[in-house]
Amino acid sequence: MPLADYACHPDESRGRRFSEPAAPSRTEFARDRDRIVHSTAFRRLVYKTQVFLNHEGDLFRTRLTHSLEVAQLGRSIARTLKLNEDLVEAIALAHDLGHTPFGHAGQDALNTCVANHGGFEHNLQSLRVVDDLEERYPQYNGLNLSFETREGILKHCSRANAKRLEDLEPNGVAERFLENSKLRSPSLEAQLCNLADNIAYNAHDIDDGVRSGLLSLDQLNDCRLFESFRLETLQQYPQLTGRRLLFEAIRRMLSAQVYDVIAATTANIEQSHPKSVNDVRLDKPLVAFTEPMRLQSLELNRFLLANLYRHPQVMETTERAQNIVVELFKAYCNDPAQFQFDEKSATVSLYRAVADYIAGMTDRFAAREHERLTGKKVFMSDGMSDIAS
Ligand code: MG
């Protein structure tokens, strides 16, 4: 299927930081996607928390399965809108590479640890992973991805960090976060990944929440978006209960959101009529829900925040996970030999090196390192033997 004019065309890419000859059989964005899939950081996602800690159960989403769901939703919408599917897939698979172990709890704790040394932002860390931290190629650090993939990965960025990035790479991926920038949006592929992320976690966190027993189907009556599809399902299958009712309601809810995004975005594109990705960058974001769906999605998000992410049981594990991160940070800073920090050859401060090292850890590796360094066993069911290297 030919791409629309407003899509990212691989032969018009703004290129890589280190130029390379074109691949014989793959487009530049397909090549980015392949590099991401082969990276070490990508394999670690399987043992990183989404909401439930990795060892709490085998069927909960991890960062890896979450990223695959984002890629699936993103690709199917991209195809209909004639956007670049390979680029959407590359951004979706890379968007969470910078997440710490233990989900947002780990990130918040790490951010507190380095608050006086530049802070920690997971979006920026995802970019750092693909730009600097992966060590796979003889010629350069990182994966040397295309501008468009990197632009999509950097979803948010503080102004201070944007300035720092812009100094290193003028008119680069951080330009749009600067105060006087004329750029208002990233590519449509990047915008789409952002929304697909939102659709994916809202849906799968209902599933994981009910599976864990922390959310009940009755409680979900309070959430209009889910409730409307539960009732619709029951109209067609009055006998349906339990799991199958839950799955069918979620499936319908996902479909409705996908079609809503396609309809609203098509209308926005018709109205703004961008002729190129540069037009897209100068415009307001065009990939969007309709207003009623936006409000219902926001309501679902708030419901999950109040009833799942802040559930006492989740908060309790969150607190323990945060202690692990804080104590690991202190232990490595006090004795850098514990993680092979070479002060003479280091290109970053000790604090940044420790933050990078902890951010790269899987949940279980962090728990084991914490036990090794402090003698404390925080989670009981970590029986695995492999390490995050
Ligand atoms: Mg995500």
Side-chain angles (χ1 to χ4, degrees):
M1 173 125 52
L3 294 175
D5 293 341
Y6 47 73
C8 283
H9 295 249
D11 39 3
E12 290 163 20
S13 166
R14 289 172 59 175
R16 303 175 187 278
R17 295 200 299 167
F18 305 94
S19 65
E20 294 184 61
S25 62
R26 291 173 295 169
T27 69
E28 295 305 318
F29 303 140
R31 199 179 193 187
D32 284 357
R33 188 250 344 265
D34 298 349
R35 286 182 182 190
I36 290 158
V37 169
H38 286 275
S39 70
T40 307
F42 185 71
R43 283 194 299 285
R44 287 179 177 149
L45 294 179
V46 73
Y47 296 113
K48 288 195 178 199
T49 288
Q50 183 68 24
V51 172
F52 293 92
L53 298 194
N54 184 237
H55 65 256
E56 288 182 307
D58 289 346
L59 295 180
F60 296 125
R61 267 68 176 187
T62 66
R63 288 266 166 221
L64 181 68
T65 56
H66 161 71
S67 301
L68 294 173
E69 290 182 33
V70 176
Q72 181 276 317
L73 286 166
R75 285 190 67 143
S76 72
I77 298 172
R79 196 171 310 161
T80 311
L81 295 174
K82 296 193 184 126
L83 297 175
N84 194 308
E85 277 184 62
D86 290 331
L87 177 57
V88 166
E89 192 177 14
I91 297 170
L93 295 181
H95 85 283
D96 273 351
L97 289 180
H99 264 290
T100 61
F102 312 124
H104 283 278
Q107 171 190 280
D108 294 346
L110 197 53
N111 186 33
T112 311
C113 293
V114 287
N116 296 325
H117 312 282
F120 182 89
E121 300 170 17
H122 75 263
N123 278 132
L124 191 63
Q125 190 70 9
S126 296
L127 185 68
R128 198 164 151 64
V129 167
V130 301
D131 278 358
D132 297 308
L133 298 179
E134 280 287 319
E135 296 175 324
R136 306 193 71 76
Y137 299 97
Q139 314 93 309
Y140 43 73
N141 285 335
L143 305 177
N144 198 29
L145 302 181
S146 313
F147 176 90
E148 291 75 9
T149 303
R150 298 172 56 241
E151 171 192 42
I153 291 172
L154 193 64
K155 192 161 75 177
H156 308 289
C157 184
S158 66
R159 193 148 294 160
N161 281 321
K163 275 188 192 140
R164 199 174 48 70
L165 287 176
E166 183 68 9
D167 285 344
L168 296 168
E169 183 190 4
N171 304 112
V173 290
E175 186 188 354
R176 69 192 171 94
F177 300 103
L178 295 174
E179 197 164 7
N180 295 319
S181 173
K182 289 197 182 76
L183 304 176
R184 297 167 68 194
S185 309
S187 70
L188 293 175
E189 285 82 353
Q191 295 178 35
L192 174 54
C193 286
N194 206 346
L195 205 55
D197 188 19
N198 188 293
I199 296 173
Y201 65 66
N202 270 345
H204 66 50
D205 288 350
I206 293 181
D207 181 1
D208 284 355
V210 173
R211 184 184 301 281
S212 66
L214 301 189
L215 286 182
S216 69
L217 271 177
D218 286 348
Q219 242 180 319
L220 282 158
N221 293 349
D222 297 343
C223 174
R224 270 187 305 165
L225 186 59
F226 178 83
E227 178 62 0
S228 61
F229 293 105
R230 193 182 70 92
L231 293 175
E232 191 191 275
T233 305
L234 282 172
Q235 243 170 24
Q236 196 177 347
Y237 303 103
Q239 311 300 330
L240 209 58
T241 55
R243 279 265 143 91
R244 280 184 204 247
L245 174 58
L246 174 72
F247 293 155
E248 181 60 14
I250 292 177
R251 190 187 70 74
R252 288 174 187 230
M253 187 180 86
L254 275 173
S255 295
Q257 289 178 94
V258 165
Y259 293 125
D260 184 272
V261 171
I262 291 170
T265 305
T266 303
N268 288 343
I269 288 172
E270 272 166 18
Q271 203 176 36
S272 276
H273 207 59
K275 290 183 191 58
S276 68
V277 61
N278 287 329
D279 288 352
V280 168
R281 292 189 176 112
L282 295 168
D283 211 332
K284 66 178 195 304
L286 300 176
V287 178
F289 284 130
T290 60
E291 188 57 15
M293 186 61 89
R294 189 186 71 81
L295 293 173
Q296 288 192 46
S297 159
L298 201 63
E299 187 189 273
L300 171 53
N301 207 235
R302 290 196 183 121
F303 171 88
L304 288 169
L305 185 66
N307 297 290
L308 182 61
Y309 312 144
R310 290 193 184 145
H311 188 287
Q313 204 173 310
V314 173
M315 297 295 280
E316 200 260 339
T317 41
T318 293
E319 227 175 85
R320 292 207 243 171
Q322 290 187 321
N323 281 334
I324 291 185
V325 169
V326 170
E327 291 182 359
L328 274 179
F329 187 84
K330 282 185 193 150
Y332 292 128
C333 287
N334 289 339
D335 184 4
Q338 293 297 338
F339 81 108
Q340 299 173 325
F341 179 71
D342 179 356
E343 218 163 332
K344 284 196 196 98
S345 59
T347 54
V348 292
S349 72
L350 171 64
Y351 302 113
R352 185 55 49 193
V354 172
D356 285 340
Y357 187 58
I358 294 177
M361 290 179 179
T362 61
D363 291 9
R364 59 192 193 172
F365 182 70
R368 262 199 313 272
E369 272 293 274
H370 181 260
E371 191 181 345
R372 179 178 76 82
L373 293 165
T374 67
K376 296 184 225 168
K377 193 164 177 64
V378 178
F379 297 116
M380 298 314 287
S381 49
D382 170 46
M384 311 294 181
S385 61
D386 139 1
I387 57 158
S389 64

